[in-house]
Amino acid sequence: MIKGRIHSIESMGLVDGPGIRVVVFFQGCELRCKYCHNPDTWAKVGGKEYTAEELVNKVERFKAYFDKSGGGITLSGGEPLRQPDFLIEVLKLCKEKGIRTCVDTAGYGFGKYDEILKYTDLVLFDVKDITKEGYKNVTQRDMDESLNFLEATKRNNTKMWIRHVVVPGMTDGEEHIKAFKEYIENIPNVEKVELLPYHLLGVNKYETLKIAYPLDGVPAMDKEVIEIYKNIINSKKTGNET
């Protein structure tokens, strides 16, 4: 019987997909994003083991709360694609029970993407950067696997919300945002774009884990500047609407 490692579960999530969500944070992630606020999810070990049935039964208890809002389950992390067989079993069971499914991912898994997406209603896709150099600077890893996942979403006609963390001196600036806008305009089925301002809320976790914080001294992103960037993203293309 397949078991998965789960870091934590949030029963009333409001920002990880439409409606009220049960957000399940998978344990394990290969990326080492400089701004990551959950370094405690990196390790493959840790967390609590569940079978797919145990996890979905736990989620189903909240169905009366999330169903009327158009909500459901969001499988996040860590990186849920790092446990593909377990993820597939969870998604299948959710679909059998009428639970809407969402996968929150950076696209850095082990394949089996077509099978995963067959049972996924929505993908929250975290675009780390739009160039190979920028991606490696942010994540310390190569971009290729993320692009493989993105191609799978195109093949499967999967609905997507795009997310992008805006970090001062790294993924900010009007020229970067304009290039990001062009990049996502070539991705089909994008229903929403979220610019997430870099914050300092996870810094204490690095201290607890005795890990050097990569962005020490970088200030939180100015939310007024984020609003300017959002206006750029929401502006119309020349002669067309975005």
Side-chain angles (χ1 to χ4, degrees), residues 34-51:
K34 291 180 177 178
Y35 51 70
C36 180
H37 59 275
N38 288 321
D40 43 333
T41 66
W42 289 349
K44 297 173 188 174
V45 296
K48 181 178 177 180
E49 279 196 335
Y50 287 86
T51 65

Side-chain angles (χ1 to χ4, degrees), residues 25-76:
F25 296 92
F26 279 48
Q27 185 73 35
C29 184
E30 185 63 21
L31 301 182
R32 293 295 179 266
C33 301
K34 291 180 177 178
Y35 51 70
C36 180
H37 59 275
N38 288 321
D40 43 333
T41 66
W42 289 349
K44 297 173 188 174
V45 296
K48 181 178 177 180
E49 279 196 335
Y50 287 86
T51 65
E53 289 81 3
E54 287 170 341
L55 181 61
V56 175
N57 286 343
K58 190 178 181 76
V59 170
E60 193 177 21
R61 296 207 297 265
F62 300 97
K63 195 170 188 291
Y65 295 98
F66 61 67
D67 227 16
K68 335 178 179 175
S69 70
I73 186 173
T74 296
L75 302 158
S76 185

Side-chain angles (χ1 to χ4, degrees), residues 167-185:
V167 185
M170 184 182 293
T171 54
D172 70 336
E174 289 193 15
E175 289 309 308
H176 171 81
I177 298 300
K178 286 174 183 174
F180 172 69
K181 175 181 169 65
E182 283 186 27
Y183 182 84
I184 61 177
E185 281 170 353

Side-chain angles (χ1 to χ4, degrees), residues 109-223:
F110 294 117
K112 300 193 177 182
Y113 301 142
D114 293 305
E115 185 70 8
I116 290 166
L117 294 171
K118 190 187 299 182
Y119 307 103
T120 302
D121 296 320
L122 175 69
V123 166
L124 304 187
F125 186 56
D126 188 353
V127 176
K128 302 298 184 180
D129 209 316
I130 59 175
T131 67
K132 291 193 173 185
E133 299 75 20
Y135 188 96
K136 189 150 195 175
N137 179 45
V138 170
T139 68
Q140 316 307 301
R141 301 292 185 267
D142 291 326
M143 190 180 196
D144 295 348
E145 193 56 44
S146 178
L147 295 176
N148 289 339
F149 177 77
L150 187 55
E151 286 305 310
T153 66
K154 293 177 182 178
R155 283 196 305 273
N156 287 274
N157 206 30
T158 308
K159 290 181 181 178
M160 299 182 75
W161 289 10
I162 300 288
R163 290 175 152 183
H164 186 52
V165 180
V166 183
V167 185
M170 184 182 293
T171 54
D172 70 336
E174 289 193 15
E175 289 309 308
H176 171 81
I177 298 300
K178 286 174 183 174
F180 172 69
K181 175 181 169 65
E182 283 186 27
Y183 182 84
I184 61 177
E185 281 170 353
N186 292 314
I187 302 173
N189 290 328
V190 176
E191 295 190 336
K192 186 175 182 180
V193 179
E194 296 180 320
L195 296 179
L196 307 178
Y198 166 71
H199 58 70
L200 306 175
L201 299 178
V203 175
N204 63 315
K205 292 184 181 180
Y206 287 79
E207 295 167 358
T208 302
L209 295 169
K210 296 183 168 51
I211 302 171
Y213 186 60
L215 297 182
D216 189 33
V218 176
M221 189 66 209
D222 187 327
K223 291 185 180 177

